[in-house]
Amino acid sequence: MLPLDAQSAWLQSYINSSEKQKQLYKRTLIVIVISQVFGGAGLAAGITVGALLAQNMLGTDSVTGIPTALFTLGSAGAALLVGRLSQRFGRRPGLAAGFLAGGIGAIGVLVSAITNSILLLFISLLIYGAGTATNLQARYAGTDLASPAQRAKAISMAMVSTTFGAVAGPNLVDVMGEFAISIGIPALAGPFILAAAAYILAGFVLFLFLRPDPFIVAKAISDAHTKANHLEKSSNLASINRRGIFAGAAVMVLTQFVMMAIMTMTPIHMGHHGHDLNEVGLVIGFHIGAMFLPSLVTGILVDKIGRAAMAAASAITLLASGILAAAGPGESMLILNIALVLLGLGWNFGLISGTAILVDSTHASSRAKTQGSIDVGIALSGALGGGLSGIVVAHSSYAALSIAGAVVSLLLIPIVIWAGIYQKEKSISISD
């Protein structure tokens, strides 16, 4: 660590130079993009086979939502810790620690499959969830030095890079399964080998190259702005839009709940209709691609046509996905692919628009902590959706689950109207 005087001089050089700020903004995005490629692979591998691994080890469908609930619950605790670490020490240590924890969790899942230990599986899935939380929190790092007009685009760049790993992960299920068998490990544990390596690599990339830390620089710029304008720190509260924070959080929480509920049970639904593991991987691969690949276009749309409009688009897209998943024949790969693509796209619209609303509505003095706290709610909603999904399907049907998700998604529209986001977008001016 630099001596205090040297650190102050270093920060001052960024405060005084808008050119250095722009260079750091670009460098940050490059590092985030690289780390997210690895992070996406780690995220997707576990999502694809987590429910199937539990079904195989426990021998019943009614608990197949538990793995998704556990690693999503684990991501809730990790989101809080990563947010607090980032607020106090910067993005680099917070994000690096989160990804490394996710890698350790993936290794634990491997050991549990080898030893057939249900307890270890559940504990490891909780720890594995840290990678999921960190993968999502990395999107905030790109916004630290972005102007309001660049924020959604910055978010989208972090997310679109996840696509490369996220699409590859599910489509490597068979390959990793065969590799696992060749070294004496159960086939369904194979993707967690990929997850462990991917998360650990993502953590090292961030730890080694996310320097200077964009959040530390952004906080220093914000503090300098406060002093230059002779403002009290308490004036920062005036730039916090609490209604906007609630609306941004609600958009992300609801889209996460709907997406996780339907996605979790899709592999089980497909298995009941005779689809093999390769076909499951294909559908989930398309779904995860739709979650992340459209991000660059989504980011531009959120910045250009508005946060509220894209939140409403999220609701409509999720509605269409739920109806199609419920009405379509389970044997049809085409219908399943379209439904899951729409599910991913609706989530994408909701996450980017909700994140932009949240960043617009917060101040640098408490932004990372607030973001971490909101991501706890997002993770818990995913855990609830994943956990309830197995129960709903066991006692009703996949169609009933899909229709319920479609109805819940419509709540997004009155929320953004209530928050007045559509009225404030043109005039919003948050002092960072």
PDB file of all heavy atoms in Angstrom, residues 45-69 71 121 125 188 192 260 263-269 277 280 284 386 389-390:
ATOM      1  N   ALA A  45     -22.057 -23.041 -15.731  1.00  0.00           N
ATOM      2  CA  ALA A  45     -21.821 -24.468 -15.534  1.00  0.00           C
ATOM      3  C   ALA A  45     -22.661 -25.011 -14.383  1.00  0.00           C
ATOM      4  O   ALA A  45     -23.309 -26.058 -14.481  1.00  0.00           O
ATOM      5  CB  ALA A  45     -20.335 -24.718 -15.263  1.00  0.00           C
ATOM      6  N   GLY A  46     -22.681 -24.301 -13.280  1.00  0.00           N
ATOM      7  CA  GLY A  46     -23.435 -24.756 -12.118  1.00  0.00           C
ATOM      8  C   GLY A  46     -24.927 -24.673 -12.310  1.00  0.00           C
ATOM      9  O   GLY A  46     -25.674 -25.557 -11.862  1.00  0.00           O
ATOM     10  N   ILE A  47     -25.392 -23.618 -12.956  1.00  0.00           N
ATOM     11  CA  ILE A  47     -26.824 -23.448 -13.190  1.00  0.00           C
ATOM     12  C   ILE A  47     -27.367 -24.609 -14.026  1.00  0.00           C
ATOM     13  O   ILE A  47     -28.460 -25.114 -13.795  1.00  0.00           O
ATOM     14  CB  ILE A  47     -27.102 -22.108 -13.901  1.00  0.00           C
ATOM     15  CG1 ILE A  47     -26.912 -20.956 -12.913  1.00  0.00           C
ATOM     16  CG2 ILE A  47     -28.507 -22.063 -14.486  1.00  0.00           C
ATOM     17  CD1 ILE A  47     -27.048 -19.591 -13.535  1.00  0.00           C
ATOM     18  N   THR A  48     -26.583 -25.040 -15.008  1.00  0.00           N
ATOM     19  CA  THR A  48     -27.054 -26.056 -15.941  1.00  0.00           C
ATOM     20  C   THR A  48     -27.301 -27.403 -15.270  1.00  0.00           C
ATOM     21  O   THR A  48     -28.300 -28.069 -15.545  1.00  0.00           O
ATOM     22  CB  THR A  48     -26.028 -26.240 -17.087  1.00  0.00           C
ATOM     23  OG1 THR A  48     -25.792 -24.973 -17.690  1.00  0.00           O
ATOM     24  CG2 THR A  48     -26.547 -27.209 -18.132  1.00  0.00           C
ATOM     25  N   VAL A  49     -26.407 -27.818 -14.385  1.00  0.00           N
ATOM     26  CA  VAL A  49     -26.505 -29.172 -13.849  1.00  0.00           C
ATOM     27  C   VAL A  49     -26.770 -29.245 -12.350  1.00  0.00           C
ATOM     28  O   VAL A  49     -26.879 -30.339 -11.802  1.00  0.00           O
ATOM     29  CB  VAL A  49     -25.220 -29.986 -14.170  1.00  0.00           C
ATOM     30  CG1 VAL A  49     -25.024 -30.108 -15.657  1.00  0.00           C
ATOM     31  CG2 VAL A  49     -24.000 -29.361 -13.494  1.00  0.00           C
ATOM     32  N   GLY A  50     -26.872 -28.103 -11.671  1.00  0.00           N
ATOM     33  CA  GLY A  50     -27.079 -28.122 -10.227  1.00  0.00           C
ATOM     34  C   GLY A  50     -28.309 -28.905  -9.821  1.00  0.00           C
ATOM     35  O   GLY A  50     -28.271 -29.772  -8.930  1.00  0.00           O
ATOM     36  N   ALA A  51     -29.444 -28.615 -10.478  1.00  0.00           N
ATOM     37  CA  ALA A  51     -30.694 -29.308 -10.147  1.00  0.00           C
ATOM     38  C   ALA A  51     -30.610 -30.794 -10.495  1.00  0.00           C
ATOM     39  O   ALA A  51     -31.108 -31.646  -9.752  1.00  0.00           O
ATOM     40  CB  ALA A  51     -31.859 -28.660 -10.889  1.00  0.00           C
ATOM     41  N   LEU A  52     -29.970 -31.115 -11.622  1.00  0.00           N
ATOM     42  CA  LEU A  52     -29.855 -32.510 -12.036  1.00  0.00           C
ATOM     43  C   LEU A  52     -28.956 -33.303 -11.087  1.00  0.00           C
ATOM     44  O   LEU A  52     -29.214 -34.474 -10.792  1.00  0.00           O
ATOM     45  CB  LEU A  52     -29.303 -32.581 -13.463  1.00  0.00           C
ATOM     46  CG  LEU A  52     -30.208 -31.970 -14.548  1.00  0.00           C
ATOM     47  CD1 LEU A  52     -29.464 -31.919 -15.879  1.00  0.00           C
ATOM     48  CD2 LEU A  52     -31.503 -32.761 -14.687  1.00  0.00           C
ATOM     49  N   LEU A  53     -27.897 -32.657 -10.586  1.00  0.00           N
ATOM     50  CA  LEU A  53     -27.006 -33.318  -9.634  1.00  0.00           C
ATOM     51  C   LEU A  53     -27.748 -33.636  -8.339  1.00  0.00           C
ATOM     52  O   LEU A  53     -27.630 -34.732  -7.785  1.00  0.00           O
ATOM     53  CB  LEU A  53     -25.792 -32.431  -9.347  1.00  0.00           C
ATOM     54  CG  LEU A  53     -24.757 -32.980  -8.366  1.00  0.00           C
ATOM     55  CD1 LEU A  53     -24.150 -34.283  -8.880  1.00  0.00           C
ATOM     56  CD2 LEU A  53     -23.654 -31.946  -8.121  1.00  0.00           C
ATOM     57  N   ALA A  54     -28.556 -32.682  -7.865  1.00  0.00           N
ATOM     58  CA  ALA A  54     -29.333 -32.915  -6.643  1.00  0.00           C
ATOM     59  C   ALA A  54     -30.370 -34.013  -6.861  1.00  0.00           C
ATOM     60  O   ALA A  54     -30.588 -34.858  -5.983  1.00  0.00           O
ATOM     61  CB  ALA A  54     -30.016 -31.623  -6.215  1.00  0.00           C
ATOM     62  N   GLN A  55     -31.014 -33.988  -8.020  1.00  0.00           N
ATOM     63  CA  GLN A  55     -32.005 -35.023  -8.330  1.00  0.00           C
ATOM     64  C   GLN A  55     -31.354 -36.396  -8.311  1.00  0.00           C
ATOM     65  O   GLN A  55     -31.915 -37.371  -7.777  1.00  0.00           O
ATOM     66  CB  GLN A  55     -32.619 -34.749  -9.704  1.00  0.00           C
ATOM     67  CG  GLN A  55     -33.706 -35.749 -10.108  1.00  0.00           C
ATOM     68  CD  GLN A  55     -34.104 -35.574 -11.567  1.00  0.00           C
ATOM     69  OE1 GLN A  55     -33.247 -35.389 -12.428  1.00  0.00           O
ATOM     70  NE2 GLN A  55     -35.395 -35.616 -11.839  1.00  0.00           N
ATOM     71  N   ASN A  56     -30.164 -36.501  -8.864  1.00  0.00           N
ATOM     72  CA  ASN A  56     -29.444 -37.766  -8.928  1.00  0.00           C
ATOM     73  C   ASN A  56     -29.020 -38.247  -7.542  1.00  0.00           C
ATOM     74  O   ASN A  56     -29.126 -39.438  -7.214  1.00  0.00           O
ATOM     75  CB  ASN A  56     -28.212 -37.600  -9.817  1.00  0.00           C
ATOM     76  CG  ASN A  56     -27.484 -38.908 -10.043  1.00  0.00           C
ATOM     77  OD1 ASN A  56     -28.030 -39.858 -10.573  1.00  0.00           O
ATOM     78  ND2 ASN A  56     -26.227 -38.956  -9.622  1.00  0.00           N
ATOM     79  N   MET A  57     -28.588 -37.302  -6.689  1.00  0.00           N
ATOM     80  CA  MET A  57     -28.084 -37.673  -5.365  1.00  0.00           C
ATOM     81  C   MET A  57     -29.222 -37.929  -4.375  1.00  0.00           C
ATOM     82  O   MET A  57     -29.093 -38.771  -3.479  1.00  0.00           O
ATOM     83  CB  MET A  57     -27.158 -36.574  -4.823  1.00  0.00           C
ATOM     84  CG  MET A  57     -25.836 -36.464  -5.578  1.00  0.00           C
ATOM     85  SD  MET A  57     -24.775 -35.114  -4.987  1.00  0.00           S
ATOM     86  CE  MET A  57     -24.290 -35.727  -3.369  1.00  0.00           C
ATOM     87  N   LEU A  58     -30.339 -37.199  -4.539  1.00  0.00           N
ATOM     88  CA  LEU A  58     -31.434 -37.302  -3.576  1.00  0.00           C
ATOM     89  C   LEU A  58     -32.567 -38.207  -4.045  1.00  0.00           C
ATOM     90  O   LEU A  58     -33.381 -38.667  -3.242  1.00  0.00           O
ATOM     91  CB  LEU A  58     -31.988 -35.907  -3.271  1.00  0.00           C
ATOM     92  CG  LEU A  58     -31.004 -34.950  -2.581  1.00  0.00           C
ATOM     93  CD1 LEU A  58     -31.564 -33.546  -2.541  1.00  0.00           C
ATOM     94  CD2 LEU A  58     -30.690 -35.423  -1.178  1.00  0.00           C
ATOM     95  N   GLY A  59     -32.668 -38.429  -5.364  1.00  0.00           N
ATOM     96  CA  GLY A  59     -33.649 -39.352  -5.893  1.00  0.00           C
ATOM     97  C   GLY A  59     -35.085 -38.868  -5.905  1.00  0.00           C
ATOM     98  O   GLY A  59     -36.008 -39.680  -5.929  1.00  0.00           O
ATOM     99  N   THR A  60     -35.304 -37.553  -5.904  1.00  0.00           N
ATOM    100  CA  THR A  60     -36.668 -37.017  -5.946  1.00  0.00           C
ATOM    101  C   THR A  60     -36.680 -35.660  -6.625  1.00  0.00           C
ATOM    102  O   THR A  60     -35.709 -34.909  -6.544  1.00  0.00           O
ATOM    103  CB  THR A  60     -37.260 -36.879  -4.531  1.00  0.00           C
ATOM    104  OG1 THR A  60     -38.548 -36.262  -4.610  1.00  0.00           O
ATOM    105  CG2 THR A  60     -36.370 -36.039  -3.630  1.00  0.00           C
ATOM    106  N   ASP A  61     -37.810 -35.347  -7.296  1.00  0.00           N
ATOM    107  CA  ASP A  61     -37.948 -34.071  -7.993  1.00  0.00           C
ATOM    108  C   ASP A  61     -38.307 -32.922  -7.062  1.00  0.00           C
ATOM    109  O   ASP A  61     -38.037 -31.762  -7.362  1.00  0.00           O
ATOM    110  CB  ASP A  61     -39.049 -34.165  -9.070  1.00  0.00           C
ATOM    111  CG  ASP A  61     -38.598 -34.981 -10.270  1.00  0.00           C
ATOM    112  OD1 ASP A  61     -37.425 -35.372 -10.304  1.00  0.00           O
ATOM    113  OD2 ASP A  61     -39.433 -35.207 -11.175  1.00  0.00           O
ATOM    114  N   SER A  62     -38.945 -33.214  -5.939  1.00  0.00           N
ATOM    115  CA  SER A  62     -39.496 -32.152  -5.105  1.00  0.00           C
ATOM    116  C   SER A  62     -38.432 -31.270  -4.470  1.00  0.00           C
ATOM    117  O   SER A  62     -38.724 -30.173  -4.011  1.00  0.00           O
ATOM    118  CB  SER A  62     -40.375 -32.749  -3.999  1.00  0.00           C
ATOM    119  OG  SER A  62     -39.604 -33.575  -3.146  1.00  0.00           O
ATOM    120  N   VAL A  63     -37.189 -31.722  -4.446  1.00  0.00           N
ATOM    121  CA  VAL A  63     -36.114 -30.928  -3.844  1.00  0.00           C
ATOM    122  C   VAL A  63     -35.123 -30.418  -4.888  1.00  0.00           C
ATOM    123  O   VAL A  63     -34.071 -29.886  -4.541  1.00  0.00           O
ATOM    124  CB  VAL A  63     -35.351 -31.759  -2.784  1.00  0.00           C
ATOM    125  CG1 VAL A  63     -36.253 -32.075  -1.606  1.00  0.00           C
ATOM    126  CG2 VAL A  63     -34.783 -33.032  -3.384  1.00  0.00           C
ATOM    127  N   THR A  64     -35.463 -30.554  -6.149  1.00  0.00           N
ATOM    128  CA  THR A  64     -34.516 -30.162  -7.190  1.00  0.00           C
ATOM    129  C   THR A  64     -34.357 -28.654  -7.289  1.00  0.00           C
ATOM    130  O   THR A  64     -33.427 -28.169  -7.940  1.00  0.00           O
ATOM    131  CB  THR A  64     -34.948 -30.718  -8.565  1.00  0.00           C
ATOM    132  OG1 THR A  64     -36.342 -30.430  -8.765  1.00  0.00           O
ATOM    133  CG2 THR A  64     -34.731 -32.211  -8.628  1.00  0.00           C
ATOM    134  N   GLY A  65     -35.253 -27.901  -6.663  1.00  0.00           N
ATOM    135  CA  GLY A  65     -35.077 -26.453  -6.624  1.00  0.00           C
ATOM    136  C   GLY A  65     -34.128 -26.021  -5.528  1.00  0.00           C
ATOM    137  O   GLY A  65     -33.678 -24.874  -5.515  1.00  0.00           O
ATOM    138  N   ILE A  66     -33.778 -26.948  -4.621  1.00  0.00           N
ATOM    139  CA  ILE A  66     -32.929 -26.586  -3.486  1.00  0.00           C
ATOM    140  C   ILE A  66     -31.522 -26.121  -3.906  1.00  0.00           C
ATOM    141  O   ILE A  66     -31.021 -25.136  -3.364  1.00  0.00           O
ATOM    142  CB  ILE A  66     -32.853 -27.748  -2.476  1.00  0.00           C
ATOM    143  CG1 ILE A  66     -34.206 -27.893  -1.768  1.00  0.00           C
ATOM    144  CG2 ILE A  66     -31.747 -27.524  -1.449  1.00  0.00           C
ATOM    145  CD1 ILE A  66     -34.258 -29.031  -0.767  1.00  0.00           C
ATOM    146  N   PRO A  67     -30.829 -26.800  -4.848  1.00  0.00           N
ATOM    147  CA  PRO A  67     -29.502 -26.312  -5.234  1.00  0.00           C
ATOM    148  C   PRO A  67     -29.512 -24.867  -5.710  1.00  0.00           C
ATOM    149  O   PRO A  67     -28.671 -24.056  -5.301  1.00  0.00           O
ATOM    150  CB  PRO A  67     -29.095 -27.264  -6.370  1.00  0.00           C
ATOM    151  CG  PRO A  67     -29.817 -28.514  -6.067  1.00  0.00           C
ATOM    152  CD  PRO A  67     -31.143 -28.071  -5.523  1.00  0.00           C
ATOM    153  N   THR A  68     -30.480 -24.524  -6.570  1.00  0.00           N
ATOM    154  CA  THR A  68     -30.569 -23.145  -7.037  1.00  0.00           C
ATOM    155  C   THR A  68     -30.845 -22.214  -5.867  1.00  0.00           C
ATOM    156  O   THR A  68     -30.256 -21.128  -5.761  1.00  0.00           O
ATOM    157  CB  THR A  68     -31.686 -23.011  -8.084  1.00  0.00           C
ATOM    158  OG1 THR A  68     -31.396 -23.874  -9.181  1.00  0.00           O
ATOM    159  CG2 THR A  68     -31.787 -21.579  -8.594  1.00  0.00           C
ATOM    160  N   ALA A  69     -31.731 -22.647  -4.967  1.00  0.00           N
ATOM    161  CA  ALA A  69     -32.040 -21.818  -3.795  1.00  0.00           C
ATOM    162  C   ALA A  69     -30.799 -21.639  -2.920  1.00  0.00           C
ATOM    163  O   ALA A  69     -30.538 -20.539  -2.421  1.00  0.00           O
ATOM    164  CB  ALA A  69     -33.161 -22.464  -2.989  1.00  0.00           C
ATOM    165  N   PHE A  71     -27.385 -21.926  -3.746  1.00  0.00           N
ATOM    166  CA  PHE A  71     -26.312 -21.068  -4.239  1.00  0.00           C
ATOM    167  C   PHE A  71     -26.786 -19.638  -4.451  1.00  0.00           C
ATOM    168  O   PHE A  71     -25.995 -18.692  -4.376  1.00  0.00           O
ATOM    169  CB  PHE A  71     -25.569 -21.655  -5.450  1.00  0.00           C
ATOM    170  CG  PHE A  71     -26.280 -21.692  -6.766  1.00  0.00           C
ATOM    171  CD1 PHE A  71     -26.586 -20.527  -7.454  1.00  0.00           C
ATOM    172  CD2 PHE A  71     -26.577 -22.904  -7.364  1.00  0.00           C
ATOM    173  CE1 PHE A  71     -27.194 -20.575  -8.697  1.00  0.00           C
ATOM    174  CE2 PHE A  71     -27.191 -22.958  -8.606  1.00  0.00           C
ATOM    175  CZ  PHE A  71     -27.507 -21.784  -9.273  1.00  0.00           C
ATOM    176  N   LEU A 121     -22.524 -31.114  -0.176  1.00  0.00           N
ATOM    177  CA  LEU A 121     -23.088 -30.524  -1.389  1.00  0.00           C
ATOM    178  C   LEU A 121     -23.808 -29.223  -1.057  1.00  0.00           C
ATOM    179  O   LEU A 121     -23.595 -28.193  -1.718  1.00  0.00           O
ATOM    180  CB  LEU A 121     -24.061 -31.495  -2.057  1.00  0.00           C
ATOM    181  CG  LEU A 121     -24.872 -30.928  -3.243  1.00  0.00           C
ATOM    182  CD1 LEU A 121     -23.950 -30.631  -4.425  1.00  0.00           C
ATOM    183  CD2 LEU A 121     -25.978 -31.894  -3.646  1.00  0.00           C
ATOM    184  N   LEU A 125     -22.623 -25.504  -2.191  1.00  0.00           N
ATOM    185  CA  LEU A 125     -23.464 -24.688  -3.058  1.00  0.00           C
ATOM    186  C   LEU A 125     -23.671 -23.297  -2.485  1.00  0.00           C
ATOM    187  O   LEU A 125     -23.745 -22.305  -3.225  1.00  0.00           O
ATOM    188  CB  LEU A 125     -24.810 -25.378  -3.292  1.00  0.00           C
ATOM    189  CG  LEU A 125     -24.788 -26.572  -4.250  1.00  0.00           C
ATOM    190  CD1 LEU A 125     -26.102 -27.331  -4.187  1.00  0.00           C
ATOM    191  CD2 LEU A 125     -24.486 -26.122  -5.676  1.00  0.00           C
ATOM    192  N   LEU A 188     -22.117 -35.612 -13.790  1.00  0.00           N
ATOM    193  CA  LEU A 188     -22.810 -34.350 -13.496  1.00  0.00           C
ATOM    194  C   LEU A 188     -21.954 -33.378 -12.697  1.00  0.00           C
ATOM    195  O   LEU A 188     -22.263 -32.182 -12.628  1.00  0.00           O
ATOM    196  CB  LEU A 188     -24.123 -34.628 -12.752  1.00  0.00           C
ATOM    197  CG  LEU A 188     -25.250 -35.234 -13.594  1.00  0.00           C
ATOM    198  CD1 LEU A 188     -26.440 -35.598 -12.710  1.00  0.00           C
ATOM    199  CD2 LEU A 188     -25.671 -34.281 -14.707  1.00  0.00           C
ATOM    200  N   PHE A 192     -18.561 -28.546 -12.791  1.00  0.00           N
ATOM    201  CA  PHE A 192     -18.036 -27.791 -11.654  1.00  0.00           C
ATOM    202  C   PHE A 192     -16.510 -27.720 -11.666  1.00  0.00           C
ATOM    203  O   PHE A 192     -15.914 -26.879 -10.990  1.00  0.00           O
ATOM    204  CB  PHE A 192     -18.555 -28.375 -10.339  1.00  0.00           C
ATOM    205  CG  PHE A 192     -19.998 -28.020 -10.071  1.00  0.00           C
ATOM    206  CD1 PHE A 192     -21.013 -28.887 -10.431  1.00  0.00           C
ATOM    207  CD2 PHE A 192     -20.326 -26.798  -9.498  1.00  0.00           C
ATOM    208  CE1 PHE A 192     -22.350 -28.557 -10.207  1.00  0.00           C
ATOM    209  CE2 PHE A 192     -21.655 -26.462  -9.272  1.00  0.00           C
ATOM    210  CZ  PHE A 192     -22.665 -27.337  -9.632  1.00  0.00           C
ATOM    211  N   MET A 260     -35.475 -17.016 -12.306  1.00  0.00           N
ATOM    212  CA  MET A 260     -34.928 -18.172 -11.595  1.00  0.00           C
ATOM    213  C   MET A 260     -35.962 -19.276 -11.415  1.00  0.00           C
ATOM    214  O   MET A 260     -35.637 -20.466 -11.500  1.00  0.00           O
ATOM    215  CB  MET A 260     -34.385 -17.734 -10.239  1.00  0.00           C
ATOM    216  CG  MET A 260     -33.114 -16.914 -10.312  1.00  0.00           C
ATOM    217  SD  MET A 260     -31.708 -17.806 -11.010  1.00  0.00           S
ATOM    218  CE  MET A 260     -31.360 -18.968  -9.699  1.00  0.00           C
ATOM    219  N   MET A 263     -36.473 -20.915 -15.014  1.00  0.00           N
ATOM    220  CA  MET A 263     -35.247 -21.523 -15.506  1.00  0.00           C
ATOM    221  C   MET A 263     -34.855 -22.759 -14.701  1.00  0.00           C
ATOM    222  O   MET A 263     -34.417 -23.771 -15.257  1.00  0.00           O
ATOM    223  CB  MET A 263     -34.104 -20.508 -15.465  1.00  0.00           C
ATOM    224  CG  MET A 263     -32.789 -21.046 -16.001  1.00  0.00           C
ATOM    225  SD  MET A 263     -31.375 -20.152 -15.361  1.00  0.00           S
ATOM    226  CE  MET A 263     -31.419 -20.607 -13.628  1.00  0.00           C
ATOM    227  N   THR A 264     -35.022 -22.696 -13.371  1.00  0.00           N
ATOM    228  CA  THR A 264     -34.607 -23.800 -12.507  1.00  0.00           C
ATOM    229  C   THR A 264     -35.295 -25.112 -12.880  1.00  0.00           C
ATOM    230  O   THR A 264     -34.671 -26.182 -12.893  1.00  0.00           O
ATOM    231  CB  THR A 264     -34.918 -23.464 -11.034  1.00  0.00           C
ATOM    232  OG1 THR A 264     -34.136 -22.330 -10.641  1.00  0.00           O
ATOM    233  CG2 THR A 264     -34.591 -24.635 -10.114  1.00  0.00           C
ATOM    234  N   MET A 265     -36.586 -25.032 -13.193  1.00  0.00           N
ATOM    235  CA  MET A 265     -37.337 -26.252 -13.448  1.00  0.00           C
ATOM    236  C   MET A 265     -37.373 -26.667 -14.913  1.00  0.00           C
ATOM    237  O   MET A 265     -37.869 -27.746 -15.238  1.00  0.00           O
ATOM    238  CB  MET A 265     -38.773 -26.107 -12.924  1.00  0.00           C
ATOM    239  CG  MET A 265     -38.867 -26.003 -11.415  1.00  0.00           C
ATOM    240  SD  MET A 265     -37.925 -27.288 -10.527  1.00  0.00           S
ATOM    241  CE  MET A 265     -38.755 -28.776 -11.096  1.00  0.00           C
ATOM    242  N   THR A 266     -36.813 -25.850 -15.794  1.00  0.00           N
ATOM    243  CA  THR A 266     -36.816 -26.217 -17.208  1.00  0.00           C
ATOM    244  C   THR A 266     -36.024 -27.504 -17.480  1.00  0.00           C
ATOM    245  O   THR A 266     -36.505 -28.374 -18.221  1.00  0.00           O
ATOM    246  CB  THR A 266     -36.301 -25.052 -18.075  1.00  0.00           C
ATOM    247  OG1 THR A 266     -37.197 -23.947 -17.957  1.00  0.00           O
ATOM    248  CG2 THR A 266     -36.209 -25.460 -19.539  1.00  0.00           C
ATOM    249  N   PRO A 267     -34.808 -27.706 -16.912  1.00  0.00           N
ATOM    250  CA  PRO A 267     -34.111 -28.979 -17.151  1.00  0.00           C
ATOM    251  C   PRO A 267     -34.903 -30.192 -16.663  1.00  0.00           C
ATOM    252  O   PRO A 267     -34.907 -31.241 -17.324  1.00  0.00           O
ATOM    253  CB  PRO A 267     -32.805 -28.812 -16.352  1.00  0.00           C
ATOM    254  CG  PRO A 267     -32.579 -27.333 -16.293  1.00  0.00           C
ATOM    255  CD  PRO A 267     -33.959 -26.750 -16.162  1.00  0.00           C
ATOM    256  N   ILE A 268     -35.584 -30.051 -15.530  1.00  0.00           N
ATOM    257  CA  ILE A 268     -36.396 -31.159 -15.017  1.00  0.00           C
ATOM    258  C   ILE A 268     -37.585 -31.414 -15.944  1.00  0.00           C
ATOM    259  O   ILE A 268     -37.906 -32.558 -16.273  1.00  0.00           O
ATOM    260  CB  ILE A 268     -36.888 -30.837 -13.589  1.00  0.00           C
ATOM    261  CG1 ILE A 268     -35.705 -30.497 -12.673  1.00  0.00           C
ATOM    262  CG2 ILE A 268     -37.698 -32.007 -13.032  1.00  0.00           C
ATOM    263  CD1 ILE A 268     -34.673 -31.570 -12.548  1.00  0.00           C
ATOM    264  N   HIS A 269     -38.237 -30.340 -16.369  1.00  0.00           N
ATOM    265  CA  HIS A 269     -39.368 -30.437 -17.307  1.00  0.00           C
ATOM    266  C   HIS A 269     -38.934 -31.122 -18.599  1.00  0.00           C
ATOM    267  O   HIS A 269     -39.641 -31.986 -19.136  1.00  0.00           O
ATOM    268  CB  HIS A 269     -39.882 -29.023 -17.585  1.00  0.00           C
ATOM    269  CG  HIS A 269     -40.943 -28.936 -18.635  1.00  0.00           C
ATOM    270  ND1 HIS A 269     -42.210 -29.460 -18.483  1.00  0.00           N
ATOM    271  CD2 HIS A 269     -40.925 -28.362 -19.887  1.00  0.00           C
ATOM    272  CE1 HIS A 269     -42.926 -29.224 -19.561  1.00  0.00           C
ATOM    273  NE2 HIS A 269     -42.174 -28.572 -20.430  1.00  0.00           N
ATOM    274  N   LEU A 277     -29.207 -34.724 -21.916  1.00  0.00           N
ATOM    275  CA  LEU A 277     -28.408 -33.684 -21.273  1.00  0.00           C
ATOM    276  C   LEU A 277     -27.867 -32.679 -22.289  1.00  0.00           C
ATOM    277  O   LEU A 277     -27.752 -31.486 -22.003  1.00  0.00           O
ATOM    278  CB  LEU A 277     -27.252 -34.334 -20.508  1.00  0.00           C
ATOM    279  CG  LEU A 277     -26.533 -33.474 -19.464  1.00  0.00           C
ATOM    280  CD1 LEU A 277     -27.507 -32.964 -18.416  1.00  0.00           C
ATOM    281  CD2 LEU A 277     -25.405 -34.278 -18.818  1.00  0.00           C
ATOM    282  N   VAL A 280     -30.654 -30.280 -23.046  1.00  0.00           N
ATOM    283  CA  VAL A 280     -30.813 -29.365 -21.903  1.00  0.00           C
ATOM    284  C   VAL A 280     -29.744 -28.278 -21.957  1.00  0.00           C
ATOM    285  O   VAL A 280     -30.030 -27.084 -21.790  1.00  0.00           O
ATOM    286  CB  VAL A 280     -30.712 -30.140 -20.567  1.00  0.00           C
ATOM    287  CG1 VAL A 280     -30.665 -29.161 -19.383  1.00  0.00           C
ATOM    288  CG2 VAL A 280     -31.895 -31.087 -20.405  1.00  0.00           C
ATOM    289  N   ILE A 284     -30.458 -24.197 -22.232  1.00  0.00           N
ATOM    290  CA  ILE A 284     -29.940 -23.301 -21.194  1.00  0.00           C
ATOM    291  C   ILE A 284     -28.868 -22.382 -21.771  1.00  0.00           C
ATOM    292  O   ILE A 284     -28.752 -21.210 -21.390  1.00  0.00           O
ATOM    293  CB  ILE A 284     -29.375 -24.113 -20.011  1.00  0.00           C
ATOM    294  CG1 ILE A 284     -30.484 -24.928 -19.347  1.00  0.00           C
ATOM    295  CG2 ILE A 284     -28.740 -23.183 -18.980  1.00  0.00           C
ATOM    296  CD1 ILE A 284     -31.628 -24.106 -18.781  1.00  0.00           C
ATOM    297  N   GLY A 386     -36.263 -20.110  -6.993  1.00  0.00           N
ATOM    298  CA  GLY A 386     -35.730 -21.443  -7.244  1.00  0.00           C
ATOM    299  C   GLY A 386     -36.274 -22.475  -6.274  1.00  0.00           C
ATOM    300  O   GLY A 386     -36.587 -23.604  -6.649  1.00  0.00           O
ATOM    301  N   SER A 389     -40.018 -23.200  -6.929  1.00  0.00           N
ATOM    302  CA  SER A 389     -40.320 -23.771  -8.244  1.00  0.00           C
ATOM    303  C   SER A 389     -40.499 -25.286  -8.190  1.00  0.00           C
ATOM    304  O   SER A 389     -41.414 -25.842  -8.801  1.00  0.00           O
ATOM    305  CB  SER A 389     -39.227 -23.402  -9.252  1.00  0.00           C
ATOM    306  OG  SER A 389     -37.977 -23.969  -8.877  1.00  0.00           O
ATOM    307  N   GLY A 390     -39.606 -25.957  -7.456  1.00  0.00           N
ATOM    308  CA  GLY A 390     -39.722 -27.405  -7.356  1.00  0.00           C
ATOM    309  C   GLY A 390     -41.001 -27.832  -6.655  1.00  0.00           C
ATOM    310  O   GLY A 390     -41.646 -28.810  -7.052  1.00  0.00           O
TER     311      GLY A 390
END
